[in-house]
Amino acid sequence: MRGFTMIDLAIVIIYLAAVLFAGMYFSKKKMTGKEYFKGDGTIPWWVTSVSIFATLLSPISFLSIAGNSYNGTWVLWFAQLGIFIAVPLTIRLFLPVYSKLKIDTAYHYLELRYKSKGLRVLGALLFIIYQIGRMSIIMYLPSVVLAPLVGININVLIIIMGIIAIVYSYGGGLKSVLWTDFIQGLVLIAGVVFTLIYLVFSIDGGIGTIFTTLQNGKFLAPDEVVFDPNILKSSVFIILVGAGINTFSSYISSQDVVQRFTTTTDIKELRKMTFGNGFLSIGTTTVIYLIGTALFVFYHQNPQLLQTAHQDQIFASFIVYQLPIGVSGILIAAIYAASQSTLSTGLNSVATSWVLDIQDSFNRQISEEKQTKIAKLVSLGVGIIAIIVSMILANGEIKSAYEWFNSFMGLVLGVLAGIFVLGVITKKATSMGAYAGFFTSAIIVISLKYNHPEVTSWSYAIISIGVSCIIGYIISLIHLGIKKQKSENC
């Protein structure tokens, strides 16, 4: 049975060269300072919308969603519906604030709202640590899946992926990243749609058989509860709400997403890009879930064609062994597209946050030219670190440790989001209240994760934001009372 052919390899190489060319083309105009970090004002909302989509849909999700649908049910599909919570909350609470304040980064808001450079630096440092870990895993895990299927050494895959992302992130700033994300997002969408169509025509009974399978327990299992009054237990309801709050947290406190919002101060454009991302996310993820169920039907009808029992490899295995020659190359390129979109965004957002949130907090006298030079060096350095960490993962038996690290750092955005929400919902919030809410919610959620595994992780963001707001508000009132008393005594 054929696998990954030289024609497929040639197509992947051509694709990678095209992405590199596109990134360099969009970076041909020399950009410095705010243009390097926020674009030059010429980027359409629909490009930014696809870029947000490509950033949030990492290759880990791309492969694991199909694997989850193949091996289980659609219960996690309801997480995508959380977008109906995340988008309205973001548009109602934060986009007007971000537009009015003309923030440079997500953590710039913390300084402006709380008049605290410390909170800005704290937010930036946590984001940078989280993002470095995330980028390393995003290069490592897809390469683990692809290496045995395409017959290319895993270290080579990691290095190529990293270098290409570094080159166009280094040269062109945010504009280059957004346009290349746009191209790669379209490749990904076209790839998954074609795969679903091909699968439908490869199955006896076509789309009807797929929907019959969904009706017969593949959509939801009998033990998967739609609603449980105890929000600490898993159910469809808490998955939907928890995922909505998680996405909301990313929209408002993760620099790689917020950076897209800084490309314009036009509230109508911001709304369009947010709704556009929501539509793309739900649509594409639904197609990938359908692919997973279609793969389940296909391999049950053709068990002799099954090449792997590994859940996360099932989609990639179908691409390599069952799709026509050439099309396999395009789809592997699509997986690479998902990796590079997330990677390039991570590099640029880390560089931006380092320069504008940390460097400027200690020295605001740096020229725009020097800011840009520092950002490029940070982008280069972080990219090299991420490549090295990925290669260490690839050549050692420490995958579980780094998955632990990634899941731990995944708590960061929920905890950070708490002090963002606190600042928006009450004018009485102070920096002392924000610090108290942040550290209290962090301690509680970390304790839940490691001491109470029975508590569903879908509730973490809800708990952390709730605790931050309650504790933060109480401490803020106490803080304001003490300040008032001191002023009266004086």
Side-chain angles (χ1 to χ4, degrees), residues 19-297:
V19 168
L20 188 57
F21 172 79
M24 295 178 72
Y25 173 79
F26 289 115
S27 66
K28 63 182 181 180
K29 174 187 173 183
K30 183 179 179 182
M31 294 189 183
T32 58
K34 294 295 175 67
E35 277 195 346
Y36 184 85
F37 302 122
K38 300 170 69 171
D40 58 1
T42 64
I43 305 164
W45 69 266
W46 39 270
V47 171
T48 308
S49 186
V50 175
S51 176
I52 296 173
F53 156 76
T55 296
L56 293 178
L57 186 69
S58 73
I60 302 169
S61 302
F62 186 74
L63 294 170
S64 65
I65 286 173
N68 286 338
S69 178
Y70 169 84
N71 207 41
T73 66
W74 278 44
V75 67
L76 294 182
W77 173 78
F78 288 94
Q80 308 309 312
L81 301 185
I83 206 82
F84 290 114
I85 296 173
V87 169
L89 284 176
T90 304
I91 289 174
R92 176 71 180 85
L93 295 177
F94 280 89
L95 291 190
V97 175
Y98 287 168
S99 176
K100 181 181 178 180
L101 294 178
K102 298 180 181 179
I103 60 170
D104 294 329
T105 70
Y107 316 109
H108 186 196
Y109 165 77
L110 297 179
E111 180 181 358
L112 294 175
R113 170 60 185 83
Y114 294 106
K115 297 179 176 59
S116 170
K117 289 183 180 180
L119 280 174
R120 181 175 186 175
V121 172
L122 173 65
L125 284 174
L126 287 171
F127 169 76
I128 289 170
I129 294 169
Y130 159 75
Q131 196 61 247
I132 291 174
R134 184 170 183 251
M135 286 189 293
S136 300
I137 295 170
I138 279 169
M139 281 192 284
Y140 163 61
L141 290 181
S143 298
V144 166
V145 173
L146 295 178
L149 295 174
V150 301
I152 299 176
N153 183 275
I154 186 172
N155 293 322
V156 174
L157 288 177
I158 290 171
I159 291 171
I160 292 173
M161 190 185 299
I163 287 176
I164 292 176
I166 288 171
V167 167
Y168 64 77
S169 299
Y170 181 93
L174 185 61
K175 182 177 181 179
S176 177
V177 169
L178 289 177
W179 275 104
T180 48
D181 278 2
F182 174 73
I183 294 168
Q184 299 190 99
L186 294 183
V187 171
L188 189 153
I189 294 168
V192 297
V193 170
F194 176 86
T195 302
L196 179 60
I197 294 171
Y198 186 88
L199 264 168
V200 168
F201 284 99
S202 302
I203 291 170
D204 293 338
I207 194 72
T209 303
I210 296 173
F211 282 110
T212 300
T213 303
L214 286 173
Q215 292 171 359
N216 293 332
K218 198 63 178 165
F219 187 67
L220 280 179
D223 62 340
E224 289 172 337
V225 181
V226 175
F227 177 76
D228 191 319
N230 183 353
I231 66 166
L232 300 182
K233 291 185 178 180
S234 184
S235 67
V236 169
F237 173 77
I238 198 61
I239 288 173
L240 191 158
V241 175
I245 300 302
N246 283 341
T247 304
F248 171 63
S249 298
S250 294
Y251 279 177
I252 67 172
S253 64
S254 184
Q255 170 59 14
D256 51 353
V257 178
V258 175
Q259 192 172 6
R260 272 84 180 129
F261 296 147
T262 66
T263 60
T264 178
T265 56
D266 188 327
I267 193 66
K268 290 183 179 179
E269 295 287 294
L270 290 171
R271 286 175 178 169
K272 286 179 184 177
M273 70 174 68
T274 308
F275 275 120
N277 168 62
F279 172 78
L280 287 172
S281 297
I282 291 176
T284 304
T285 306
T286 301
V287 171
I288 298 174
Y289 265 97
L290 282 169
I291 287 173
T293 304
L295 288 171
F296 174 83
V297 175

Side-chain angles (χ1 to χ4, degrees), residues 1 4 11 25 34 40 59 65 83 105 117 242 274 289-290 305 317 324 371 379 412 448 452 464 490:
M1 184 178 293
F4 199 68
I11 288 173
Y25 173 79
K34 294 295 175 67
D40 58 1
I65 286 173
I83 206 82
T105 70
K117 289 183 180 180
T274 308
Y289 265 97
L290 282 169
L305 299 179
S317 177
Q371 278 186 332
S379 179
V412 168
L448 287 175
H452 299 278
S464 62
C490 292

